[in-house]
Amino acid sequence: MAEYAAEAHPERQRGPAVLIPTGVGGLAAAAIAILVPVVGIAAVGGWESVVGRPLIGSTGRFARTLAALATCCDPRSMASLQGWLAEVWLLVAAAVALVVRLMRRHRRDDYRGRYRAWGWMASVLVLTALAAAVPIGPLVGAFVADASGVVLGPQGIGWWLIVAGTAWIVVALWAVLPLHERTGTAIWLTLALVAFGGAAAAEWLAAGRDRWIVGGRAAWSLGAALATIAMLAAARTVIREVRGLAAARPPRRGAKPVRRTEAAEAEANADDVGERADPAADAATLESDEEESSTDYVDGSEQEHRHLSKAERKRLKKLARMNRSVA
């Protein structure tokens, strides 16, 4: 189990570490609260592209209001509610990653400052949120395409996907692998990366088709929500490590258990007088030893019979059988 200093407890952090759920039920409730708005807004925004007719009508007394509401939910708009919510969740995920960094930096057996990985994770999340509002991807793709002379994808966007994907994978492995309970965080983060990859592929193959654009925006917002849940799962794991609640890891495969034959042999050769603590058992053994006078050892200097151990009685019985066989 990892050891942490007293300053690592959530109550002593400047960030809102005490608000992070540490139970399975609290984490499940947080995941539902994050996913439901994202999925609901994505369903409303993509209804017209999938079904072929608008979900929100534009007739009646509040026609202008309904038209403005439809524009807010339209994922093809730059100022859509879906894009704004994705950026909010990415910034929340970055804040949680910084809280994890504050706690991990107080780990006593930290190896070469691995807690810094969570600072890089927060930076990657902030850049991901920024890329959704500012055309960073086309800028990086155009720069690499002009510098190398190789255009990869539409307007060199493939170069941006390679750079962003490599940064995500390296930082995620650096941050998640040292965790004690890393399965949940790894699953949520993998799902987030798959959603981001689907969004990038949809943007690459869209070519002006509405369904591809709507699907890509929905996958992007879903990836932001999944990344937030992954950071909450990582924070929960670190809090459990700090409080000593993390489950113990199973023993290594190379560890060999003690054989039962050795234990049985050690028990058979043990001294009955030193091993037994039951007076009734000692009395019964003493009576049986007195009946078997052939197995008692008599010393001329002693006035009484000395109680023999089980190993000594076995050796004497063996010698008696050998003497009878020779005779």
Side-chain angles (χ1 to χ4, degrees):
M1 180 65 65
E3 295 183 1
Y4 287 83
E7 292 78 7
H9 286 267
E11 293 78 11
R12 299 192 179 186
Q13 302 301 320
R14 296 179 181 179
V18 294
L19 301 178
I20 297 175
T22 57
V24 178
L27 184 61
I32 293 173
I34 292 172
L35 290 174
V36 168
V38 171
V39 175
I41 295 175
V44 172
W47 181 272
E48 183 177 358
S49 299
V50 175
V51 179
R53 55 187 178 85
L55 179 63
I56 301 175
S58 58
T59 59
R61 180 178 178 181
F62 296 94
R64 288 188 294 269
T65 304
L66 294 175
L69 180 60
T71 303
C72 292
C73 297
D74 188 4
R76 294 165 295 185
S77 176
M78 294 298 297
S80 64
L81 183 60
Q82 182 177 342
W84 172 83
L85 189 60
E87 295 176 11
V88 168
W89 287 133
L90 287 173
L91 294 177
V92 170
V96 176
L98 290 177
V99 172
V100 174
R101 184 185 185 278
L102 290 176
M103 292 186 291
R104 292 281 292 183
R105 66 191 297 266
H106 295 291
R107 182 171 172 172
R108 293 175 178 174
D109 57 345
D110 188 35
Y111 178 71
R112 295 183 180 179
R114 284 185 176 177
Y115 69 92
R116 295 188 179 91
W118 293 100
W120 284 99
M121 177 62 73
S123 301
V124 169
L125 289 167
V126 171
L127 288 176
T128 304
L130 187 63
V134 180
I136 299 178
L139 175 62
V140 174
F143 173 76
V144 178
D146 292 340
S148 61
V150 178
V151 179
L152 185 60
Q155 299 179 355
I157 195 64
W159 291 112
W160 163 248
L161 297 181
I162 292 175
V163 173
T166 303
W168 259 103
I169 294 174
V170 171
V171 174
L173 292 176
W174 184 22
V176 175
L177 286 180
L179 294 178
H180 191 78
E181 297 174 343
R182 54 179 175 265
T183 303
T185 305
I187 291 174
W188 288 109
L189 200 56
T190 301
L191 293 176
L193 292 178
V194 170
F196 285 143
E203 292 288 340
W204 192 327
L205 302 174
R209 289 176 288 185
D210 289 343
R211 290 189 177 183
W212 286 89
I213 295 175
V214 171
R217 302 291 171 82
W220 180 266
S221 60
L222 181 61
L226 294 172
T228 306
I229 299 173
M231 294 301 102
L232 289 176
R236 173 183 178 270
T237 297
V238 174
I239 292 175
R240 286 174 56 84
E241 290 182 9
V242 172
R243 294 176 176 173
L245 301 176
R249 292 181 179 177
R252 297 180 179 178
R253 295 182 178 179
K256 296 182 179 180
V258 179
R259 293 182 299 177
R260 295 182 62 183
T261 56
E262 296 178 358
E265 184 179 356
E267 183 180 0
N269 296 331
D271 189 357
D272 291 343
V273 177
E275 294 290 334
R276 293 182 179 178
D278 189 2
D282 292 340
T285 304
L286 182 59
E287 291 179 359
S288 63
D289 291 340
E290 289 177 355
E291 293 177 357
E292 297 177 4
S293 58
S294 60
T295 61
D296 289 342
Y297 174 78
V298 180
D299 191 355
S301 61
E302 296 181 356
Q303 298 298 329
E304 297 180 356
H305 294 284
R306 183 173 64 85
H307 179 64
L308 301 178
S309 66
K310 185 183 291 184
E312 291 175 338
R313 292 199 303 272
K314 284 185 176 181
R315 286 196 295 269
L316 290 176
K317 290 180 180 180
K318 185 177 180 180
L319 289 175
R321 287 195 299 268
M322 292 177 63
N323 292 330
R324 287 196 297 268
S325 63
V326 172

